[in-house]
Amino acid sequence: MTWRNIQGFRKGTFLSPLTLHLMLLSRLSLLPSLSLKASSVFVRSLATKRYTASHEWLLEDNGIATIGITNHAQEELGDIVYVDLPSVGDSFDQADTIASVESVKTTGDITIPVACEVAEVNEALQENPLLVNQSPEDEGWIVKVKFTSEGDLGDLMDETSYKKFLAQ
């Protein structure tokens, strides 16, 4: 499939593997014709990353929220040398410190915006805390939680709002 065959997209535009797969199935007539732009928007809205003013990110999917620190936060901290993780099953109230990240410069606390219970921790950080520096919003995630109360996540920023926040 050449770029000329993908109407509406410029060369260099990133298309998710799911979008490319749906495009291929559609071209092979295995799926009814798809509106590519509409399906791309739909896929992106399934799990929207949110950001806090204290530079944590949160990605909720199927009742589980993955939490980590932003690229901006890891740049400010410098090389991460240790991540203090909670235990699976630990419970936290809104605004509690759920974990901390130690760097060569300082220590940063990670707070939770809503009451939760820890479902999973990123064990890979025990062996390689630099994952937070190398991939802060992907492989360097800190913890996965289940919310235990209906808190207000409306105060969290979307990506566009967070970029504006950083520019201030």
Side-chain angles (χ1 to χ4, degrees):
M1 189 178 315
T2 67
W3 285 105
R4 279 176 281 199
N5 294 14
I6 304 174
Q7 295 177 351
F9 290 95
R10 295 186 338 252
K11 185 174 183 178
T13 300
F14 175 77
L15 299 174
S16 74
L18 177 59
T19 301
L20 291 172
H21 183 73
L22 291 173
M23 289 171 52
L24 179 61
L25 290 176
S26 178
R27 285 178 98 25
L28 295 174
S29 300
L30 297 175
L31 281 178
S33 180
L34 296 172
S35 169
L36 184 56
K37 289 184 181 181
S39 66
S40 296
V41 171
F42 174 72
V43 170
R44 180 145 174 101
S45 68
L46 286 176
T48 301
K49 195 175 280 185
R50 298 289 190 183
Y51 300 86
T52 67
S54 55
H55 308 290
E56 292 99 6
W57 58 266
L58 179 144
L59 181 65
E60 186 178 9
D61 192 22
N62 293 323
I64 300 290
T66 304
I67 299 170
I69 66 170
T70 64
N71 188 55
H72 174 79
Q74 71 82 20
E75 286 175 348
E76 292 294 312
L77 286 167
D79 290 342
I80 307 296
V81 295
Y82 180 73
V83 181
D84 184 21
L85 297 169
S87 297
V88 172
D90 285 354
S91 294
F92 295 89
D93 291 325
Q94 182 177 7
D96 280 354
T97 298
I98 194 167
S100 61
V101 178
E102 296 179 19
S103 73
V104 294
K105 293 180 184 178
T106 188
T107 298
D109 290 333
I110 299 169
T111 57
I112 187 74
V114 178
C116 68
E117 179 180 309
V118 177
E120 185 179 349
V121 296
N122 189 347
E123 297 288 347
L125 299 178
Q126 296 299 316
E127 293 292 320
N128 185 11
L130 281 174
L131 273 176
V132 176
N133 293 107
Q134 296 163 351
S135 182
E137 297 190 35
D138 189 23
E139 292 179 34
W141 61 272
I142 308 291
V143 65
K144 294 185 180 188
V145 300
K146 292 183 279 186
F147 294 134
T148 56
S149 72
E150 293 297 320
D152 184 16
L153 297 178
D155 291 340
L156 300 180
M157 297 173 267
D158 62 13
E159 185 176 0
T160 303
S161 299
Y162 183 68
K163 287 180 179 180
K164 288 179 185 175
F165 173 77
L166 289 176
Q168 294 178 354

